[in-house]
Amino acid sequence: MNAHVRLGLIGLISLTMPLAACAKQDSTSGSAAAIAPTIAQSSAPQIVTGLPDFTRLVEQVAPGVVNIDATIGGPDEDSAAGAQFDGSQGIDESQIPEIFRQIFGPGLQMPGMDGEGGRMRPRGKSMGSGFIISPDGYILTNNHVVDGSSTVQVKLSDGRSLKAKVVGTDQGYDVALLKIDARNLPSLRMGTANSLKPGQWVVALGSPFGLDHSVTAGVVSATGRTQAGMGGPNYVRFIQTDVAINPGNSGGPLLNTSGEVVGINSQIFSQSGGYMGISFAIPIDLAISAADQLKKTGKVSRAMLGVTMNPEISEAMASKLGLPDTNGVLVTSVQPGSGADKAGIKPMDVITEFNGEKVSDYSDLPSRVAPLPPGTKVSLTVIRDGKPRKVEVTLTALEQKAVGDAGGLQDETDSDGTPGASPAVPQRALGFSVQELPESQRQRLGLPEGGVVISSVSRALAAETGLAPGLVVLQVNRSEISSVADFNKAVAGIKKGDVLMLLVQSPRGVRQFVAVTVGGAG
């Protein structure tokens, strides 16, 4: 017998046996029977009255849902997608945004993306879904469904297959706007995701594995799911559902019980490439805003505060910063000339509220800021040295800047071939030592303000904090560091148990704060 079948039978037996035992007790035990009338006569209100019937909803909505086939690469090109997915391989991990790989590891999948469900796909094809948003032929889908495509075909519910023009795409929101040459098309009604609550019924339509106009239903599991982790954009507050979504569902609509679109089905969490109970949809409000911009300008503009953020606030950091808890966003740097800079925000400030709403962590803030138009004025609550204050900030336009590889910091020499760093300064009490940053490295890293480079770290401290040789220390508490002399001055007078807030920069240009407890892990 197949192992999965055996497990399934075992699970079924373990589930039904206790129920059978309860039934036997009711027929033989007077005490158990006496309890039953009390339960039946309870005056508690009936909360759930029955399962919903989605047939009328599907009849009305299905004509506005389309099947999308995108050819990846040119017609004569042996594309990378076609070469990789020969029917026996799984997802191409390089296609998944880094941000999601860090949260979910290899489990997060994008239904319809090249490689997922490769067994069901022709070579060099991307399969997905979409829906009509206006009678004159505008269609919404996911960016990853059409990304890199040379041709896109849209199959309508009436059987017609029409070539589509890609009006514009946006990777940050994973949205694409298509246009087909047709009129009087059945379009779907747009709803809003803002009023969704966990437990609400929702319905998905799409083409899983190419099986067009398939219907699945479930409930909203959670709202406001953000992309925690470092290394990528974090602009979407996803709707999490338990609606069954599979390869080919990407870009299809998520609907409420009124038949209104509340989201675009985009991603699933899976260890197998198939549905495992967790699906994510892009809120329709965000998607429509992006589509309007794509239609008008061909691109999506986002706002920014102009700060970079620490990945976490530890208990030690919260204590040092005078915070009541570890919630909020710790600012690591401020972009010159940005709204945050003009408002006086500084590194080591902690943002705890945005427009009157609590900010839980660093993954929460970008998704609140980015959808707003540049020029919007927002109110922040900022804690500095344990004291909260209100700050008004005018958001500026987000500037996408790739962080390049700045190279290693070890074994460097100046142009004359001599070592560029002065001898290491021992800091036994700290558990690490620093030395001067060579001029060649300073220039390569773009650090006019200077810094000192960590030359050695104790094993215990490295394990506890993540500090490593090669990291550049730019700030100790609120003191700027440009030399070893500055560093020595900043740590003078420290005693066991003190907490130092170090602002460090990696060779790749990523900055973050690290809390070091003096004598804690030396």
Side-chain angles (χ1 to χ4, degrees), residues 81-82 84-92 109 112-125 127 208-210 246-248 268 270-275:
Q84 284 185 319
F85 302 111
D86 58 4
S88 62
Q89 301 177 18
I91 186 73
D92 177 7
Q109 312 283 343
M113 186 173 64
D114 289 330
E116 187 194 348
R119 307 176 191 83
M120 305 296 293
R121 277 193 186 158
R123 292 164 64 87
K125 289 283 187 180
M127 176 181 59
F209 305 108
N246 281 293
I268 58 176
S270 176
Q271 298 291 348
S272 65
Y275 171 71

Side-chain angles (χ1 to χ4, degrees), residues 233-462:
N234 180 26
Y235 306 137
V236 181
R237 297 173 65 79
F238 287 95
I239 306 163
Q240 181 187 325
T241 75
D242 69 350
V243 178
I245 301 297
N246 281 293
N249 273 114
S250 270
L254 184 73
L255 306 129
N256 60 21
T257 52
S258 298
E260 298 170 329
V261 182
V262 293
I264 303 178
N265 297 310
S266 179
Q267 288 132 4
I268 58 176
F269 175 76
S270 176
Q271 298 291 348
S272 65
Y275 171 71
M276 290 184 69
I278 301 178
S279 307
F280 299 96
I282 302 161
I284 194 60
D285 315 73
L286 189 65
I288 289 296
S289 172
D292 288 342
Q293 293 186 63
L294 291 172
K295 186 176 180 180
K296 294 175 182 176
T297 66
K299 64 178 183 179
V300 176
S301 296
R302 280 179 274 271
M304 71 170 187
L305 279 173
V307 301
T308 58
M309 303 167 290
N310 222 55
E312 66 173 354
I313 298 177
S314 65
E315 293 287 350
M317 291 178 182
S319 175
K320 176 66 177 180
L321 297 170
L323 304 177
D325 50 43
T326 59
N327 292 322
V329 168
L330 174 59
V331 176
T332 58
S333 66
V334 180
Q335 182 174 322
S338 66
D341 183 35
K342 293 176 180 178
I345 294 176
K346 299 181 181 300
M348 274 187 68
D349 285 350
V350 178
I351 301 171
T352 58
E353 290 186 5
F354 180 84
N355 280 344
E357 296 183 352
K358 297 290 185 182
V359 175
S360 57
D361 56 39
Y362 85 108
S363 68
D364 192 20
L365 191 58
S367 60
R368 296 180 187 272
V369 175
L372 298 174
T376 302
K377 291 185 178 181
V378 299
S379 173
L380 306 179
T381 297
V382 175
I383 296 180
R384 180 181 298 172
D385 297 328
K387 299 177 181 179
R389 63 191 186 107
K390 294 290 184 181
V391 178
E392 299 293 325
V393 179
T394 300
L395 304 179
T396 54
L398 178 65
E399 300 174 7
Q400 296 286 7
K401 292 185 178 179
V403 179
D405 184 356
L409 285 173
Q410 301 177 20
D411 301 323
E412 287 291 332
T413 60
D414 284 337
S415 57
D416 61 358
T418 58
S422 62
V425 177
Q427 298 289 344
R428 294 184 180 86
L430 299 178
F432 71 97
S433 61
V434 301
Q435 60 190 35
E436 299 287 1
L437 182 66
E439 182 62 28
S440 60
Q441 297 172 16
R442 187 194 310 270
Q443 293 178 1
R444 187 173 56 181
L445 292 172
L447 295 174
E449 68 273 29
V452 293
V453 62
I454 295 177
S455 55
S456 64
V457 185
S458 71
R459 289 184 179 180
L461 186 63

Side-chain angles (χ1 to χ4, degrees), residues 115-199:
E116 187 194 348
R119 307 176 191 83
M120 305 296 293
R121 277 193 186 158
R123 292 164 64 87
K125 289 283 187 180
S126 176
M127 176 181 59
S129 305
F131 54 96
I132 303 168
I133 61 173
S134 65
D136 57 348
Y138 283 98
I139 294 169
L140 264 184
T141 186
N142 285 140
N143 169 67
H144 73 258
V145 172
V146 300
D147 187 31
S149 62
S150 57
T151 59
V152 178
Q153 289 290 131
V154 171
K155 183 181 178 182
L156 303 179
S157 61
D158 60 14
R160 285 183 291 170
S161 183
L162 303 175
K163 187 175 181 179
K165 173 187 176 183
V166 179
V167 177
T169 64
D170 182 69
Q171 186 178 11
Y173 294 152
D174 193 18
V175 170
L177 181 65
L178 312 181
K179 178 70 168 66
I180 57 175
D181 188 10
R183 296 291 182 271
N184 301 319
L185 295 173
S187 59
L188 302 191
R189 290 181 295 119
M190 300 299 109
T192 178
N194 296 331
S195 59
L196 285 179
K197 295 180 180 179

